[in-house]
């Protein structure tokens, strides 16, 4: 009788423990990015095969959050911007979008979507051929020039002028292609984040053939866009995101890739 009672007690304890463990299982939540470019997000390793680790700033920030958030496990996936915008419009986006800014989604007042605190400040720069005469202080100075730009992205003060025909544009699939066109003299300039420009110049593009203009094209914060139906996840994750830029661990991660606050 005593043995039977003990067995029942053990089984009951194990079942109760299982319930407790299940109640603390982390919810999976996805951050999407359409920035498939270093040093932000890289889907392939040097041999060209897909790297499931997906390295870069966004991967590092997801790891930073996952080390701190108890109830949510953040996943990171690439998705084209057109698809993400379509899912946003239809209310079908099952996750959030990392590394973006309200202006890029026509949400300057931050009323259409939920926006996290900034996890890094960034800037776009203009890259020209070394030795070229290229005075620049404002996007209006690009009128009459030819630019190589990634297809489908918005650039402040430039996209508007392209639409009215003031700037000639060659649309490509990558920043690396754009730098190549400038280096070969097929375009007058390109625009990209300073971290990407520096990365490619370190990785083989000739810095002797290219020059980054001193005046930035644009300066902005990188944030995370949450649909309004993800308010619970937004509030939970933003609690940690808003402290990132004062956290020495995250700042050290950024400094490793050449980031200067």
């Amino acid at each position: 009788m005593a043995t039977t009672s003990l067995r029942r007690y053990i089984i009951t304890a194990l079942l109760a423990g299982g319930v407790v463990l299940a109640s603390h299982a982390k919810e999976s939540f996805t951050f999407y990015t359409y920035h498939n470019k270093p040093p932000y997000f890289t889907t392939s390793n040097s041999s060209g095969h897909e790297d499931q680790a997906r390295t870069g700033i966004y991967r590092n920030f997801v790891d930073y959050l996952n080390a701190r958030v108890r109830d949510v496990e953040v996943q990171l996936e690439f998705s084209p911007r057109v698809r993400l915008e379509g899912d946003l419009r239809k209310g079908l986006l099952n996750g959030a979008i990392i590394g973006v800014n309200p202006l890029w989604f026509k949400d300057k007042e931050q009323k259409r979507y939920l926006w996290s605190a900034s996890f890094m400040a960034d800037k776009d720069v203009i890259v020209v051929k070394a030795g070229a005469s290229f005075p620049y202080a404002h996007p209006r100075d690009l009128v009459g020039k030819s630019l190589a730009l990634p297809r489908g992205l918005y650039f402040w003060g430039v996209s508007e002028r392209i639409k009215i025909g003031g700037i000639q544009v060659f649309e490509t699939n990558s920043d690396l292609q754009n730098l190549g066109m400038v280096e070969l003299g097929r375009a007058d300039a390109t625009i990209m984040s300073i971290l990407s420009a520096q990365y490619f110049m370190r990785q083989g593009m000739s810095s002797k053939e290219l020059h980054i203009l001193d005046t930035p094209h644009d300066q902005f914060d990188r944030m995370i866009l949450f649909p309004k139906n993800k308010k619970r996840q937004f509030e939970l994750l933003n609690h940690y995101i808003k402290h990132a830029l004062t956290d020495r661990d995250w700042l050290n991660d950024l400094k490793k890739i050449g980031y200067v606050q």
Side-chain angles (χ1 to χ4, degrees):
M1 181 68 68
T3 302
T4 302
S5 298
L6 178 62
R7 185 181 298 115
R8 287 176 179 172
Y9 174 82
I10 293 172
I11 293 173
T12 301
L14 288 173
L15 289 173
V19 171
V20 171
L21 289 174
S23 68
H24 285 87
K26 285 191 173 186
E27 170 193 357
S28 180
F29 188 75
T30 302
F31 282 178
Y32 294 98
T33 177
Y34 57 87
H35 297 136
N36 191 4
K37 61 180 180 179
Y40 301 94
F41 179 84
T42 303
T43 57
S44 62
N45 57 29
S46 57
S47 65
H49 296 97
E50 186 174 0
D51 179 3
Q52 296 300 326
R54 294 181 169 88
T55 59
I57 294 172
Y58 297 163
R59 173 73 269 166
N60 292 345
F61 192 61
V62 165
D63 290 344
Y64 168 85
L65 289 177
N66 283 337
R68 287 158 177 79
V69 183
R70 179 185 179 188
D71 299 320
V72 174
E73 181 79 20
V74 180
Q75 311 296 326
L76 181 62
E77 293 186 18
F78 171 79
S79 183
R81 174 161 179 162
V82 172
R83 183 181 303 166
L84 292 175
E85 288 187 319
D87 287 345
L88 271 176
R89 285 194 303 270
K90 299 172 185 175
L92 298 176
L93 184 65
N94 190 24
I97 305 176
I98 188 172
V100 291
N101 185 275
L103 290 179
W104 306 346
F105 286 80
K106 299 179 181 180
D107 194 21
K108 182 178 180 180
E109 304 300 323
Q110 300 187 25
K111 293 181 178 180
R112 298 177 64 187
Y113 309 112
L114 300 172
W115 292 92
S116 78
S118 169
F119 65 91
M120 67 180 293
D122 208 345
K123 60 183 177 181
D124 281 343
V125 294
I126 296 176
V127 184
V128 301
K129 193 170 179 64
S133 176
F134 208 106
Y136 178 80
H138 188 274
R140 69 174 71 92
D141 297 327
L142 298 175
V143 172
K145 303 290 188 180
S146 62
L147 301 179
L149 298 175
R151 184 174 288 104
L153 297 191
Y154 171 81
F155 292 93
W156 168 74
V158 175
S159 298
E160 296 86 349
R161 287 173 170 82
I162 289 172
K163 286 183 179 179
I164 62 176
I167 299 173
Q168 182 182 12
V169 63
F170 299 103
E171 292 190 318
T172 70
N173 294 319
S174 72
D175 286 338
L176 189 58
Q177 284 182 280
N178 296 331
L179 289 173
M181 290 186 68
V182 174
E183 188 173 23
L184 294 172
R186 295 176 181 172
D188 294 322
T190 186
I191 304 172
M192 65 182 64
S193 78
I194 189 168
L195 292 176
S196 289
Q198 292 171 340
Y199 175 90
F200 287 121
M201 288 182 183
R202 288 195 302 265
Q203 297 297 318
M205 296 297 299
S206 175
S207 58
K208 295 181 180 179
E209 297 295 331
L210 298 168
H211 173 66
I212 299 173
L213 297 185
D214 292 334
T215 301
H217 162 68
D218 194 11
Q219 300 185 72
F220 51 88
D221 289 320
R222 290 195 183 271
M223 304 156 73
I224 302 171
L225 179 164
F226 290 75
K228 287 192 173 180
N229 62 3
K230 302 299 180 184
K231 183 177 180 180
R232 180 177 60 82
Q233 294 90 342
F234 163 76
E235 291 178 344
L236 192 156
L237 291 168
N238 196 45
H239 172 77
Y240 297 91
I241 296 168
K242 65 185 179 183
H243 297 299
L245 287 179
T246 57
D247 188 322
R248 184 173 298 178
D249 289 342
W250 175 237
L251 292 177
N252 286 338
D253 278 349
L254 287 176
K255 287 177 182 177
K256 290 175 184 178
I257 51 88
Y259 174 86
V260 178
Q261 192 173 16

